[in-house]
Amino acid sequence: MGCALTDQIAKAESQGPDRFLNRELSWLAFNQRVLALASDDGVPLLERAKYLAISAGNLDEFFQVRVAGLKAQLAAGITSASADGRSPSEQLHEIHLEAQRMTTLQDRLFRKHLAPALSAEGLQFVDWETLDRKDQKRLRAMYDAQIQPALTPLAVDPAHPFPWISNLSLNLGLQVRDPNSGAARFARVKVPPVLPRLIALPDGERWLPIEQLIRAHLGGLFPGMDVVSDHVFRVTRDAALLIDEGEADDLLSAIQSGLHRRLRVNDAVRLEIGGGAPPEVLELLIEELELDERDVYRHEGLIDLTSLWQLHACPRPDLKDPNWQPITQSALRNLGPGEGNRDVFSVIRDRDVMVHHPYDSFTTSTEAFVEQAAADPAVLAIKHTLYRTSDKDNRIVRALTQAAQNGKEVVALIELKARFDEESNIEWARNLEAAGVNVVYGIVGLKTHGKVVLVVRRERDGLTRYCHVGTGNYNLDTARLYEDVGILTASEAIGADVGELFNHMTGYSDPGELDQLLVAPASLRTRLMGLIDDEVAAKDGHITIKVNGLSDPALIDALYSASQAGVRVDLIVRGICCLRPGVPGLSENVRVRSVVGRFLEHSRIYRFGSRARGEHIFVGSADLMTRNLDARIEVLTPVLDERLCERINEILAVNLADDARAWELQPDGAWRETRTANSFDVHAHFQELARSR
């Protein structure tokens, strides 16, 4: 790091912790931007319902991970402040205020706006009491045959301890009374998660919340008792896996054991309950779940709005975005066997190829690359990282299996610790091992988050390495919904680096600083600091970064320092951003944008330099979060082909021009919409560009 940058960083540090925005509150602000899409009358109605479901699911995960982490700090007596100067207790206080407000907004949006609008379009939420006898008779038959046998009423008394309430399960809490003795008891009925949250009536236009159907039949679950009251409630628990990797002899077994403990041990962090619950019921739940009053979130209306995904699945294209069919770019057309066709390797050998999902087809690019490698007799080896695989049949995993059966050397580095995908990844790992694939679980203490494929092929002039380095997971489901980029290359220098990287991840070698790739935790942080330093030293310094999150204090201070030195800094940050832009004397040359719309902005792009001096462009898996820089294996590759650099520049320019789905971060931490009368939508624009190629 140069002296100029070091001096400027010291100046930034002198501004104190107020120079940082709080990480947790910044995430809640991101979820508010998602919720704004659900409120937008210009968005198709079922898409609005989808965005409300996404915001509710996001909030669930936030409590399971971030709130749970802060509570664990409090329980451990940790009082150290975050980078912005807040203690864990202060953060929890502000989080609860904002989360309560957000929960109220979600409920109101559903009850007052979306539910009536959906009803007007023939998709109606109904109550049991409003159904006619014919409907009720049909539902009673369904209840008796499909629901009642799966229900288990659990009473609480000296002989029946308070039951375990599983994470995110839907429950009915009841007060039941013996009409003879007058003795009252609390009871709980869990709604099995295998049952649909919303019951579709035969006309496909009306939906009954399942708790209403169960409520209408409670007498059969508690014969001879009076049901005094019943209320829906839901508990959120800590999702952490308690694993000591250093002590684990078998990481797969340790994670399986950790998953079991997560189901049965982890602390509760939130209680959601229907409004009007009696005080004695609420007090019992708070006491038994070891929560505080502030952990209670009261709902008016439907609890668990993630159930709106069910509604979004309705075959109503008139209420959804127009279907998007990804395009096969011209360079990748007519690949595979057949007269006049080319193989994917000859295309990549001629020139690097960039794919931009979901606009470019994942199936005819990344999947085709791996599938052709699996079938090609000239391919000797395939090495692949897998972070989040899809639950369904994964064509890439199938291709790796085929490659191993064809006698090729196949290595799959599967990250078992990918949160909420652990079970799926364990299953894929076992299937691949059974097929003869060499399965590796990564490096102790680090998550393998990099997105890299290496194919080694025998050709006339020797062995050639073909690589894919990307920003997104090798997952067809997310490739249809997430915006990502990937580079397919036969560059000797990049191929050599990727080979060294895989040797490091599967063996005990230390790759040191590679020639082309920027890899965390070995070199990424220092290389990024050096690139920022270069811009500080230049007269026309310019930095443009597109990431999902920016929270690392040291990198933020470096960007502040660049701003103070006159460097123009353009940041496109979808989610968390702890940097304050536009502060005089600190960050007046920094602007921060966030684009939130139909497709989830997921690519990570780094550009340093100017057209006059030349630009250095990198793409890959790393966000500017401390975990990415220090606790994960992340990979950025340089973009070497000038044509592809122009495409990357186009992506950045379009994102910085968008004003239909863009927000700008203000110095006080507030986000302001940039929409104007002549709005420009980034996602619609890239669809048109894909069609034209």
Side-chain angles (χ1 to χ4, degrees):
M1 190 186 306
C3 293
L5 183 58
T6 303
D7 293 342
Q8 292 288 350
I9 287 177
K11 183 179 177 182
E13 290 174 345
S14 69
Q15 301 274 345
D18 284 346
R19 70 189 187 276
F20 299 118
L21 297 171
N22 181 261
R23 183 193 195 283
E24 319 306 341
L25 299 179
S26 182
W27 184 92
L28 288 168
F30 159 68
N31 206 40
Q32 184 62 48
R33 298 196 292 282
V34 176
L35 189 56
L37 289 169
S39 305
D40 189 339
D41 292 334
V43 174
L45 188 55
L46 281 178
E47 304 299 344
R48 293 175 64 190
K50 176 190 73 177
Y51 291 125
L52 183 53
I54 290 172
S55 75
N58 286 347
L59 201 56
D60 288 346
E61 184 172 333
F62 179 72
F63 272 89
Q64 291 175 86
V65 178
R66 302 306 305 179
V67 173
L70 288 168
K71 281 178 164 284
Q73 289 183 40
L74 275 183
I78 297 172
T79 59
S80 54
S82 56
D84 60 291
R86 289 173 170 86
S87 68
S89 178
E90 289 170 331
Q91 291 182 77
L92 283 170
H93 173 71
E94 293 191 55
I95 285 168
H96 286 301
L97 291 176
E98 182 58 27
Q100 290 281 8
R101 188 185 73 83
M102 186 173 292
T103 300
T104 300
L105 285 174
Q106 290 172 333
D107 284 351
R108 184 182 303 134
L109 176 60
F110 175 71
R111 288 186 298 108
K112 299 291 188 181
H113 300 281
L114 287 183
L118 288 163
S119 180
E121 293 289 349
L123 297 172
Q124 185 179 6
F125 288 84
V126 294
D127 297 320
W128 174 262
E129 294 78 11
T130 65
L131 299 175
D132 60 28
R133 291 183 179 179
K134 183 179 179 181
D135 285 331
Q136 289 187 352
K137 181 180 179 180
R138 185 182 291 111
L139 287 170
R140 282 196 180 97
M142 186 191 75
Y143 172 84
D144 290 339
Q146 301 177 31
I147 296 177
Q148 192 275 340
L151 300 180
T152 303
L154 295 173
V156 176
D157 60 26
H160 302 85
F162 190 84
W164 174 261
I165 310 296
S166 54
N167 185 37
L168 299 181
S169 63
L170 195 69
N171 304 269
L172 271 73
L174 306 97
Q175 287 180 306
V176 295
R177 182 188 299 120
D178 186 327
N180 298 316
S181 67
R185 293 284 184 269
F186 174 82
R188 171 253 192 163
V189 177
K190 176 183 177 179
V191 180
V194 295
L195 298 177
R197 177 69 180 84
L198 304 173
I199 305 296
L201 273 72
D203 56 21
E205 296 182 348
R206 292 174 296 158
W207 300 80
L208 178 73
I210 192 171
E211 66 269 21
Q212 294 206 27
L213 183 56
I214 296 172
R215 180 178 291 135
H217 298 83
L218 286 174
L221 293 174
F222 298 93
M225 304 292 286
D226 294 332
V227 178
V228 179
S229 69
D230 66 89
H231 295 274
V232 178
F233 72 94
R234 185 171 180 253
V235 173
T236 309
R237 293 188 177 276
D238 184 351
L241 283 178
L242 304 177
I243 300 168
D244 185 345
E245 293 183 53
E247 296 297 322
D249 294 324
D250 184 336
L251 184 58
L252 188 145
S253 297
I255 289 178
Q256 284 183 304
S257 176
L259 287 170
H260 179 73
R261 289 197 303 273
R262 184 163 79 183
L263 290 174
R264 300 296 304 171
V265 175
N266 286 15
D267 292 339
V269 295
R270 177 180 61 164
L271 169 64
E272 298 174 273
I273 193 165
E280 55 270 29
V281 170
L282 197 55
E283 289 171 8
L284 175 69
L285 290 172
I286 290 173
E287 179 182 356
E288 294 291 346
L289 294 168
E290 299 181 346
L291 294 171
D292 298 324
E293 174 64 30
R294 71 178 182 182
D295 299 317
V296 178
Y297 291 77
R298 295 170 175 81
H299 288 268
E300 297 295 334
L302 192 68
I303 291 181
D304 184 14
L305 290 170
T306 64
S307 58
L308 294 179
W309 278 110
Q310 268 186 263
L311 214 62
H312 186 265
C314 289
R316 290 291 303 271
D318 56 313
L319 301 179
K320 299 180 183 180
D321 286 323
N323 184 50
W324 169 248
Q325 187 63 40
I327 305 296
T328 300
Q329 56 180 280
S330 58
L332 297 175
R333 291 173 193 154
N334 302 317
L335 296 181
E339 186 176 349
N341 286 358
R342 303 177 68 192
D343 64 75
V344 69
F345 303 107
S346 65
V347 173
I348 301 170
R349 190 165 56 247
D350 286 348
R351 61 184 189 181
D352 291 356
V353 175
M354 190 185 97
V355 287
H356 189 198
H357 308 304
Y359 314 105
D360 293 329
S361 170
F362 181 78
T363 298
T364 59
S365 59
T366 309
E367 282 186 343
F369 172 61
V370 179
E371 287 176 336
Q372 288 196 30
D376 188 340
V379 168
L380 305 182
I382 304 173
K383 301 182 181 183
H384 205 306
T385 63
L386 292 169
Y387 189 72
R388 294 193 190 279
T389 53
S390 53
D391 291 330
K392 303 171 186 175
D393 187 24
N394 187 305
R395 288 177 57 176
I396 285 180
V397 173
R398 198 188 329 149
L400 295 176
T401 300
Q402 177 195 348
Q405 292 169 345
N406 289 343
K408 304 181 191 305
E409 175 72 10
V410 182
V411 175
L413 200 151
I414 298 182
E415 181 46 73
L416 296 181
K417 304 184 293 297
R419 187 181 289 119
F420 304 122
D421 281 281
E422 300 97 342
E423 290 180 271
S424 175
N425 285 3
I426 286 172
E427 182 178 355
W428 285 120
R430 285 179 163 164
N431 291 342
L432 287 167
E433 284 181 328
V437 174
N438 296 304
V439 176
V440 180
Y441 302 133
I443 296 175
V444 171
L446 299 173
K447 275 189 178 182
T448 304
H449 190 246
K451 325 297 183 187
V452 191
V453 183
L454 173 65
V455 172
V456 181
R457 190 171 189 262
R458 181 187 290 114
E459 297 181 346
R460 291 180 180 179
D461 52 353
L463 298 182
T464 300
R465 297 184 181 97
Y466 294 89
C467 305
H468 176 276
V469 182
T471 69
N473 299 307
Y474 296 101
N475 180 323
L476 180 59
D477 295 336
T478 56
R480 292 188 178 118
L481 300 172
Y482 290 16
E483 179 274 340
D484 275 301
V485 297
I487 304 294
L488 291 158
T489 182
S491 160
E492 290 185 15
I494 290 176
D497 277 5
V498 171
E500 286 295 318
L501 176 64
F502 271 106
N503 289 342
H504 169 60
M505 292 189 292
T506 60
Y508 290 102
S509 65
D510 180 1
E513 187 167 315
L514 300 173
D515 181 52
Q516 295 289 327
L517 299 183
L518 278 58
V519 177
S523 64
L524 179 57
R525 180 186 288 278
T526 54
R527 293 283 295 275
L528 289 176
M529 286 291 196
L531 289 162
I532 294 172
D533 199 11
D534 291 343
E535 297 309 299
V536 169
K539 294 180 180 179
D540 58 349
H542 190 189
I543 298 169
T544 307
I545 297 174
K546 180 180 184 292
V547 287
N548 299 329
L550 167 58
S551 66
D552 183 75
L555 262 296
I556 291 174
D557 277 341
L559 292 172
Y560 284 151
S561 303
S563 172
Q564 292 164 21
V567 176
R568 197 174 82 188
V569 180
D570 289 313
L571 303 175
I572 305 160
V573 185
R574 186 197 77 225
I576 295 165
C577 182
C578 298
L579 178 149
R580 287 186 189 272
V583 177
L586 179 69
S587 57
E588 61 263 52
N589 291 313
V590 182
R591 66 167 170 163
V592 179
R593 292 193 132 214
S594 174
V595 176
V596 182
R598 175 177 180 177
F599 301 122
L600 183 82
E601 293 295 322
H602 194 254
S603 64
R604 291 89 165 185
I605 301 171
Y606 296 78
R607 183 180 68 192
F608 301 89
S610 66
R611 291 297 180 102
R613 283 185 293 118
E615 294 172 331
H616 300 282
I617 296 176
F618 301 85
V619 301
S621 61
D623 290 312
L624 291 178
M625 315 279 276
T626 303
R627 69 185 186 192
N628 300 99
L629 299 170
D630 298 336
R632 292 185 175 187
I633 296 178
E634 304 280 7
V635 182
L636 297 183
T637 183
V639 181
L640 303 177
D641 189 303
E642 290 186 5
R643 297 173 306 101
L644 303 190
C645 288
E646 286 305 310
R647 283 196 66 188
I648 293 291
N649 284 332
E650 181 180 57
I651 291 173
L652 296 176
V654 170
N655 274 271
L656 291 170
D658 179 287
D659 65 3
R661 298 294 173 209
W663 300 71
E664 286 195 352
L665 182 57
Q666 306 302 301
D668 63 357
W671 289 87
R672 178 178 60 81
E673 284 189 275
T674 64
R675 187 179 308 186
T676 62
N678 300 315
S679 60
F680 172 81
D681 189 312
V682 59
H683 299 143
H685 183 74
F686 281 125
Q687 287 174 324
E688 289 303 316
L689 287 176
R691 290 189 187 100
S692 68
R693 290 196 175 97

